[in-house]
Amino acid sequence: MFTCVGASFAGPKLWIVKKTGFENGQPQEFYLENISIAQPAEVRDRSGAGKDIETYIVGGSGDGFTFFQIKNPTTSAALAYAHVTLDLGVSSFSYPGAAQKGAIQLIATGDNRMLDAVWHDNSVWFVTTRENNNKATAVWAQIDVSNWPTLAVIQSGIIDVPGESTFMPSISVNENGIAAFGLSASGPNIYAGAFFTWRRPTDAKGTTRDIETARAGLGSYSKPNGNPWGDYTGISIDPTSEDCFWVYNEYAGKNTCGDSCPQENFGTWNTAWARFFVAALPSKNSTKKKTKKRANKKQRQGGAPKGRGQPFPITTTTTNGL
């Protein structure tokens, strides 16, 4: 919310509007106090949003994170909140810019706002950006909300590539507890591109698999007003298959000046969609496992350490940079 006079930021606000008969009624309103920018947690459950599953909104800055719980949103909604402290790295309203191949201009990596959240099996997962080792780094955490209002940290981790910045993360968790992350990355040896990673529930806590490339950047990029990038990425589960994740993000397009570009205002940002599959592990009672390889090696793009996912670049669209 921004004020009408002066357009200064006043804080987030939540409206709950009934789908039936809302034309004749008034929405319920809640101010999310003591928080700047928050994200609603997507509800992921085998049977959808169950009647006994509360809705959560997550926000925070520094080492403090606030969880808002909304009960009975379709009847008499009630709002409560709880806090958890978690050190994910240096929090700032402006992180170090990301280096990029072929240009001295740094790419803006965002700030400490909450970027994405998801609820699965009594846990709320969230992603944001923090500073680690003097560079922007995508970070994530899983918080147990089953004993509300007492919150318990199950695990947290960073998505790091040596020498490169990772930023603008997103997250989704499927019915098997497999967490998948989309993100941007850039460094001295790569152009800004679109990437993803994932983890199984059986993986060591706080770890993710090697980063995979959804679409590698094709050129350097610089625009006025701080060389902005993002602000968001996205990742979703295919409605017909819990094993299939769709990730979409920006990547730097090919420019006309190569690696000898002017001070600013060159290059374009493009959008890439990609899908990848992470099959559930067989049960202990399984005696046979059928495997079908779907990856086409020619589709794999360079620009990040080779990992164990299967990237499927599907479509790219080119737009003018901001």
Side-chain angles (χ1 to χ4, degrees):
M1 297 290 294
F2 289 83
T3 60
C4 293
V5 179
S8 60
F9 184 68
K13 190 175 184 180
L14 169 68
W15 284 274
I16 299 177
V17 182
K18 292 183 179 180
K19 293 182 179 179
T20 56
F22 72 90
E23 299 92 343
N24 301 320
Q26 296 294 324
Q28 294 177 273
E29 298 180 356
F30 298 97
Y31 281 101
L32 306 183
E33 299 180 359
N34 302 318
I35 202 70
S36 57
I37 297 177
Q39 286 288 340
E42 176 193 8
V43 174
R44 291 290 307 168
D45 189 78
R46 289 178 181 270
S47 56
K51 65 178 182 179
D52 296 323
I53 297 175
E54 290 79 16
T55 300
Y56 293 91
I57 298 175
V58 189
S61 59
D63 295 340
F65 297 90
T66 302
F67 286 65
F68 297 91
Q69 184 193 73
I70 302 97
K71 287 188 175 182
N72 307 316
T74 59
T75 54
S76 55
L79 179 70
Y81 63 89
H83 300 279
V84 66
T85 299
L86 182 60
D87 183 7
L88 294 173
V90 177
S91 176
S92 172
F93 193 71
S94 180
Y95 292 117
Q100 58 176 322
K101 180 181 177 181
I104 61 173
Q105 293 84 353
L106 302 179
I107 292 177
T109 54
D111 52 37
N112 58 12
R113 73 186 68 186
M114 190 63 58
L115 292 175
D116 200 8
V118 61
W119 180 97
H120 170 76
D121 195 20
N122 287 320
S123 289
V124 172
W125 300 67
F126 68 83
V127 289
T128 183
T129 306
R130 288 293 185 267
E131 181 181 341
N132 287 282
N133 298 320
N134 300 314
K135 63 178 183 176
T137 308
V139 298
W140 59 275
Q142 180 189 7
I143 309 298
D144 183 355
V145 296
S146 62
N147 193 30
W148 184 269
T150 300
L151 306 178
V153 179
I154 297 176
Q155 60 178 328
S156 63
I158 64 175
I159 304 174
D160 188 29
V161 178
E164 298 176 8
S165 298
T166 56
F167 47 101
M168 303 297 177
S170 55
I171 184 172
S172 192
V173 182
N174 72 5
E175 66 179 12
N176 301 309
I178 296 171
F181 308 84
L183 64 145
S184 298
S186 183
N189 298 315
I190 65 168
Y191 303 117
F195 303 88
F196 67 90
T197 185
W198 54 278
R199 60 166 281 111
R200 295 186 186 277
T202 53
D203 291 348
K205 285 188 175 182
T207 64
T208 54
R209 303 298 178 107
D210 293 338
I211 289 179
E212 293 279 1
T213 306
R215 182 68 71 184
L218 301 176
S220 51
Y221 173 92
S222 181
K223 294 297 173 182
N225 302 317
N227 203 14
W229 189 260
D231 286 353
Y232 302 97
T233 65
I235 189 167
S236 298
I237 297 168
D238 192 292
T240 65
S241 173
E242 289 284 323
D243 295 339
C244 178
F245 293 89
W246 290 86
V247 59
Y248 39 98
N249 196 358
E250 289 182 54
Y251 69 98
K254 190 174 182 179
N255 58 48
T256 58
C257 52
D259 292 340
S260 302
C261 295
Q263 289 297 313
E264 66 175 22
N265 204 22
F266 59 84
T268 60
W269 58 266
N270 304 329
T271 305
W273 289 263
R275 65 174 179 172
F276 63 98
F277 297 84
V278 183
L281 291 174
S283 65
K284 294 182 180 180
N285 297 326
S286 298
T287 57
K288 294 182 180 180
K289 179 181 179 182
K290 296 181 180 180
T291 303
K292 183 179 180 181
K293 295 183 179 180
R294 304 187 184 188
N296 183 339
K297 293 183 179 179
K298 292 183 179 180
Q299 291 177 310
R300 188 179 298 276
Q301 303 292 316
K306 184 178 180 181
R308 287 169 280 183
Q310 295 182 351
F312 283 73
I314 301 299
T315 306
T316 61
T317 60
T318 302
T319 58
N320 292 327
L322 296 177

